[in-house]
Each structure stands twice: as structure tokens, then as C-alpha cells.
Amino acid sequence: MNGNIEILAPAGGEEQLLAAVRCGADAVYLGLRSFSARHGAENFDSEALTRSVAFCHGRGVKVHVAVNTVALDGELSDLEAAADAVAASGADAVILQDLGAVKLFREKYPTIKRHMSTQAAVHNCEGARAAIDLGFDRVVLARELTLGEIKEICRTGIECEVFVHGALCMCLSGQCLLSAFLGSRSGNRGLCAGPCRLPFKAEGGTGYDLSLKDLSLMDYISEMARMGVCSFKIEG
């Protein structure tokens, strides 16, 4: 197995961050109070982010900050303030979906590593090459891929991060609008209501036929490490 693989754990708040670090995570990912795909979590203000990054770095743990929702024109000044907070905290990487946010970080804070969010739905080699061209260091792959597809994308040379445990969306990563249509709450704005968990019925089904079982790839960790996957991500 590749000795450089990373176990990446979610931190919805400071209590969860402490638990992840104490349980041996190599890195954590977390969100600010805005522009995070997990808007409903406790999340972090700028002071808590700076404090948490210092705590993690003191224990050899990296911090990836999710700024991974789409931003509206009227929010660009707030987006820049979020970028400033990430940079000031000393975080190791930023997770991005919106191409405007990509441009902002690339131009203003080029030394912060950029990871393309699973919300961007990178699911093939061309998508990975596009991420490279845009200046990304890593892609968080769509969760619908086969082992063979992951292997081919790893060969493009970009770092590949893969979800290995947790809830699995029915639709393509980052492309689902069901919550927006049914409840005016978009997952691409951090507010998914999880409508796929509702009782949609199909003949011969379970009664909840858009609700997939949780993902568990523990049996494939060694194989994926040999293929070149560098980060194994636990769902938040």
C-alpha cells in the first residue's frame, strides 16, 4: 500500500474536529459559515478556523476548507472575505466548485492548494485534465465511479481523492436539483433537504427507491491505494 495515503475526516464543528484528530485522521475538511455545501452544520467563523488550524497543525494534521457552493454576483465581496479568512488561517487547501471562486483563489492566494469539489462531478479523464488546466492540485472524484474508471483518472497525474464511507447521493455528484425543485433549497447552495430519502416507490422496490444504502469501500482500500488514490474521504 502507498505509504503516503491520507485518511480525511469531516469536521462539522470544533467538537467533531477534536474527535477526528484524536481518532487519528491525517487531515480534516470543514466549512466556513458561508459558501459551504454543508451549510446546516455548525461550521466555523474566522476565529474558530484560525484556532482549529493551529490545533491541527500542532498535531501534524492538515486542514481543507470547503468553499464549494456556487456564488451569486451579489455575493462576490463576501466570497473574497471568505478567501481572506481561509488564507489568514493558514489552512492547507481549499475545496472549490464555482469557477469564479477558482479564479479568485488562483489569483489572490496562489500558494493555497486547490481541490476540485465532488460538486464539480469529475467522472472521467477529460474532466481531470480540465481540472489540471484550471490549476487544481487535486480532484475529489464523483461518487458513482467504478474501480476501473478511478484507475484511469489516477493515470492523468492529478491527485485523486475518493469517498470511501458514508451516505451516497442518488444523482450525479453536484448535479442534483431535486431539492431545489421540491423545496427551493439547493444542494449547490449548501442547503440540500435530502428529498431522495423520502418514500418514492417503484414496483418491487423498498418504498424508498431513491435512497441508496450508505457507501462502504473498506474492502477496496488497498487496491485503490495501489491504483494511485491519495486520499480516502469519510462523508460528512
Side-chain angles (χ1 to χ4, degrees), residues 10-22 28-31 33 41-56:
E14 291 189 78
E15 184 177 351
Q16 292 88 346
L17 181 141
L18 178 62
V21 172
R22 285 181 172 175
V28 297
Y29 66 99
L30 50 84
R33 296 281 169 81
E42 178 185 342
N43 293 320
F44 295 75
D45 60 21
S46 58
E47 291 183 3
L49 177 61
T50 299
R51 181 169 61 247
S52 297
V53 171
F55 173 81
C56 288

Side-chain angles (χ1 to χ4, degrees), residues 100-111:
V102 175
K103 184 176 187 291
L104 171 63
F105 274 94
R106 188 177 63 233
E107 294 182 351
K108 192 170 185 180
Y109 298 114
T111 61

Side-chain angles (χ1 to χ4, degrees), residues 20-41:
V21 172
R22 285 181 172 175
C23 288
D26 301 300
V28 297
Y29 66 99
L30 50 84
L32 294 167
R33 296 281 169 81
S34 58
F35 303 108
S36 166
R38 294 289 181 268
H39 186 73

Side-chain angles (χ1 to χ4, degrees), residues 76-95:
L76 294 182
S77 61
D78 292 335
L79 180 62
E80 186 166 7
D84 293 342
V86 173
S89 74
D92 300 278
V94 61
I95 306 167

Side-chain angles (χ1 to χ4, degrees), residues 200-209:
F200 291 96
K201 297 180 180 180
E203 185 177 351
T206 64
Y208 291 85
D209 296 307

